[in-house]
Amino acid sequence: MTAFDHTKYTPFKPVAIKDRTWPDNDITHAPIWSSVDLRDGNQALVEPMTVEQKKQFFALLVDVGFKEIEVGFPAASQLDFDFVRWLIEENQVPDDVYIQVLTQARPELIERTYKSLKGAKKAIVHVYNSTSTTQREQVFRMDKEGVKKIAINGAKCVKEHAEKHPETEWVFQYSPESFTGTEMDFAVEVVDAVTDVWQPTPDNKVIINLPATVEVSTPNRYADQIEYFCRNVQKRDSMLVSLHTHNDRGCGVAAAELGIMAGADRIEGTLLGNGERTGNMDVVTMAMNMYSQGIDPKLSLNDMDRIISVVQACTLLQVHPRHPYAGELVFTAFSGSHQDAIKKCLANQTDDKPWDVAYLPIDPRDVGRSYQEVIRVNSQSGKGGIAYTLEQEYGLALPRWLQVEFSPIVQQLAEKDGGVVDAQSMKDLFESSFMTGTTPYRLGKYDLTKDDVDTVQAELVTQDGTVKIAGNGNGALSAFSEALGQHFNMRVDIIQYQEHALTVGSDSQAIAYVQVNIDGDRFNGVAIDTDIVSSSIQALLATVNQKIAENDTASVA
Ligand code: KIV
Ligand code: ZN
């Protein structure tokens, strides 16, 4: 037997449900959301939140749109108690928000919990005890009757205290903790016993929260448990079935989604998934999943950077760069083919069309990200990303043939620097590679005469003075290429030419791109000027300057 021995684990025993219906269901609307960041999330932190951090987090949760917020475990923590008092005494809870507090099903804790809530307008009292086989047998050493009694007594106690404070609008919530490790018929039996005490009605519902305290199965098995529970519990019409999943197997969101398909009404979770061990299920991911399917999640997650910054400041945990919808890199494409596809789709995308962009499940702008972050160029990138960046940032619409030429130059730089090439470095590289129309020769005065053939007479200015050149052709460019060829004793053939007006950062300027063959070698030149003839002949001069520089290097070598 090796130390890594799978036979020491037993497979999860699924609930016996044959005619399950949930797989045919879809999620069609947002559940009721309850944030447990300030309780479950906070309990799991190396350094629990200070009151100041809790205040900041609470404000965020309200702004995001949670109407039910579990603010703490006041009977277990003085800080939580004080925070609940502050919320109430300082009138910090909006009228449409329920604060929720957790308590074990023990009379003295329930009493203290109600003390913390004195004067609250609306409150959810969340009482729990563990019902699982493991906890019954090994932790409490109690039989099923004993565990059920704890739940019943807790429920009675919760009800009695509430009756003493009719000024508050109370909602009762019960969790059979470790529900997923509980025999389903027993879970139903305990919940029936609790609702026998609380006597909810369809107009006055209670919340029954079914936690995957530890995630122990594939999400479909959790969904089976939820469907089984919903079918068999007595007062289904008088309760909101709530889910509280953890992420031990990495499927907290998936389990919650399938649980909703199986009939649940409400979801407890945290923003970005902080919580015990591998975390609570992440409300951001689940809500954004809905959003990406055209469903209003009824939460405002558009200011993702604020959410991240508050969560990080309060939990002292970093958000992973690949965290769904929120991570710094999740809308970024490095691979050339991805960049190419994104560029093409973005060019087709208009505001009146449904979002349909390869590799981007949502529009990054919806969560406050910009398109500039979408494409980042590193040594893995291709021409698409480079072209996209230059166009978005500087309005340079590089022709395809120039994209092909420029891409390996950028990749070389990325490999050399071992990282991402930012837009400015890319532009610098573009200018030094192609916009070489000023050294050693720059265009001085020129005159273009149009007749049967076009004639150009131009001055080229160097450090050492001015030279005059002249040439003919069927257009300015070919006349100038003849002039250059004659003067420098080169054969200059134009292969490609493109121009466009510049729209970014300049009024009425034109950019010209040329590709030429000079004595058998290919060169690319680019120039910007106020008129298109000037920019094209300077682009051509740029190629000749490159040839001269190449010849100089060769002769020095
Ligand atoms: O994970 C859990 O079971 C809990 C309960 C207290 C609901 O946090
Ligand atoms: Zn939990």
Side-chain angles (χ1 to χ4, degrees), residues 333-340 376-387 402-422 425-426 429-430 433-434:
F334 287 104
S335 125
S337 61
H338 289 206
Q339 292 178 344
D340 221 42
R376 282 167 69 172
V377 173
N378 66 10
S379 60
Q380 303 297 303
S381 308
K383 55 186 181 336
I386 296 164
L402 193 55
Q403 294 175 21
V404 173
E405 298 283 333
F406 188 43
S407 158
I409 301 174
V410 176
Q411 282 188 352
Q412 237 176 28
L413 178 70
E415 272 159 28
K416 186 165 131 285
D417 293 356
V420 170
V421 181
D422 64 23
S425 319
M426 206 184 298
L429 192 60
F430 181 77
S433 305
F434 306 125

Side-chain angles (χ1 to χ4, degrees), residues 390 394-399 401-402 427 430-431 434-435 497-504 506-514 525-539:
L390 288 178
Y394 307 109
L396 308 179
L398 265 58
W401 47 267
L402 193 55
K427 180 161 174 267
F430 181 77
E431 287 177 355
F434 306 125
M435 298 180 73
Y497 171 76
Q498 202 154 317
E499 66 187 47
H500 66 81
L502 269 184
T503 48
V504 174
S506 62
D507 295 333
S508 65
Q509 284 201 306
I511 185 164
Y513 311 88
V514 298
V526 179
I528 297 174
D529 209 316
T530 43
D531 83 280
I532 195 61
V533 176
S534 297
S535 55
S536 12
I537 56 185
Q538 286 176 82

Side-chain angles (χ1 to χ4, degrees), residues 36 39-41 43 70 177 209 211-214 244-246 268 275-277 279-280:
V36 293
R39 195 278 300 171
D40 212 352
Q43 280 183 296
E70 193 163 77
E177 201 229 69
N209 188 46
T213 304
V214 178
H244 175 114
T245 60
H246 279 269
E268 291 194 348
E276 294 285 4
R277 306 177 306 281
N280 285 76

Side-chain angles (χ1 to χ4, degrees), residues 175-191:
S175 291
E177 201 229 69
S178 302
F179 165 79
T180 46
T182 305
E183 304 84 338
M184 280 303 105
D185 54 347
F186 182 56
V188 168
E189 187 182 324
V190 175
V191 169

Side-chain angles (χ1 to χ4, degrees), residues 31-79:
I32 300 164
W33 299 107
S34 167
S35 151
V36 293
D37 292 271
L38 296 172
R39 195 278 300 171
D40 212 352
N42 187 41
Q43 280 183 296
L45 293 174
V46 180
E47 283 183 54
M49 289 180 220
T50 61
V51 170
E52 277 317 306
Q53 286 169 322
K54 279 201 150 198
K55 288 178 184 174
Q56 193 189 357
F57 211 129
F58 183 80
L60 172 72
L61 294 168
V62 169
D63 290 348
V64 161
F66 284 96
K67 301 297 175 205
E68 302 187 3
I69 303 175
E70 193 163 77
V71 290
F73 196 159
S77 145
Q78 185 61 41
L79 189 146

Side-chain angles (χ1 to χ4, degrees), residues 26-328:
D26 285 311
I27 298 175
T28 54
H29 58 276
I32 300 164
W33 299 107
S34 167
S35 151
V36 293
D37 292 271
L38 296 172
R39 195 278 300 171
D40 212 352
N42 187 41
Q43 280 183 296
L45 293 174
V46 180
E47 283 183 54
M49 289 180 220
T50 61
V51 170
E52 277 317 306
Q53 286 169 322
K54 279 201 150 198
K55 288 178 184 174
Q56 193 189 357
F57 211 129
F58 183 80
L60 172 72
L61 294 168
V62 169
D63 290 348
V64 161
F66 284 96
K67 301 297 175 205
E68 302 187 3
I69 303 175
E70 193 163 77
V71 290
F73 196 159
S77 145
Q78 185 61 41
L79 189 146
D80 281 12
F81 188 99
D82 294 343
F83 179 62
V84 177
R85 291 311 310 148
W86 175 81
L87 285 171
I88 296 166
E89 283 164 16
E90 298 300 322
N91 207 13
Q92 293 294 315
V93 187
D95 287 347
D96 60 348
V97 170
Y98 285 83
I99 48 170
Q100 175 174 323
V101 289
L102 182 73
T103 174
Q104 283 176 0
R106 285 170 36 197
E108 68 283 10
L109 300 185
I110 294 171
E111 186 179 351
R112 178 126 179 98
T113 303
Y114 273 91
K115 274 209 176 103
S116 78
L117 288 171
K118 193 162 179 336
K121 288 185 200 134
K122 294 176 170 184
I124 300 172
V125 179
H126 178 187
V127 60
Y128 77 96
N129 68 314
S130 191
T131 52
S132 73
T133 330
T134 307
Q135 298 250 18
R136 280 193 331 257
E137 291 174 358
Q138 299 189 53
V139 183
F140 306 117
R141 295 175 190 275
M142 217 177 244
D143 62 8
K144 286 181 172 168
E145 274 312 304
V147 166
K148 188 163 83 177
K149 199 118 205 86
I150 295 176
I152 293 171
N153 289 342
K156 282 183 181 157
C157 194
V158 163
K159 191 173 178 211
E160 281 160 18
H161 279 286
E163 279 163 1
K164 288 185 210 148
H165 295 283
E167 68 280 8
T168 298
E169 191 184 319
W170 298 109
V171 174
F172 302 149
Q173 172 168 339
Y174 173 69
S175 291
E177 201 229 69
S178 302
F179 165 79
T180 46
T182 305
E183 304 84 338
M184 280 303 105
D185 54 347
F186 182 56
V188 168
E189 187 182 324
V190 175
V191 169
D192 284 343
V194 167
T195 52
D196 272 351
V197 175
W198 284 345
Q199 290 296 318
T201 63
D203 293 331
N204 190 19
K205 293 185 166 100
V206 292
I207 299 168
I208 299 298
N209 188 46
L210 305 176
T213 304
V214 178
E215 185 173 53
V216 289
S217 70
T218 47
N220 59 318
R221 294 304 183 195
Y222 180 61
D224 281 353
Q225 291 178 317
I226 304 304
E227 182 161 342
Y228 177 96
F229 179 89
C230 291
R231 278 196 213 169
N232 289 284
V233 75
Q234 271 171 16
K235 298 190 172 64
R236 176 66 187 95
D237 64 349
S238 302
M239 64 179 66
L240 292 165
V241 171
S242 172
L243 308 179
H244 175 114
T245 60
H246 279 269
N247 203 35
D248 299 81
R249 297 168 51 96
C251 303
V253 168
E257 288 177 331
L258 269 49
I260 288 286
M261 289 156 60
D265 311 290
R266 179 180 187 269
I267 293 291
E268 291 194 348
T270 59
L271 288 179
L272 302 169
N274 172 44
E276 294 285 4
R277 306 177 306 281
T278 50
N280 285 76
M281 89 104 217
D282 170 22
V283 170
V284 169
T285 302
M286 182 164 171
M288 291 305 298
N289 283 351
M290 282 179 202
Y291 182 72
S292 72
Q293 298 296 304
I295 299 164
D296 179 358
K298 309 265 187 216
L299 290 177
S300 308
L301 301 169
N302 44 306
D303 193 353
M304 199 61 87
D305 287 343
R306 177 182 170 214
I307 294 173
I308 293 169
S309 124
V310 173
V311 170
Q312 290 190 158
C314 296
T315 62
L316 306 183
L317 295 172
Q318 291 303 301
V319 172
H320 196 283
R322 304 229 177 261
H323 191 107
Y325 302 104
E328 180 204 339

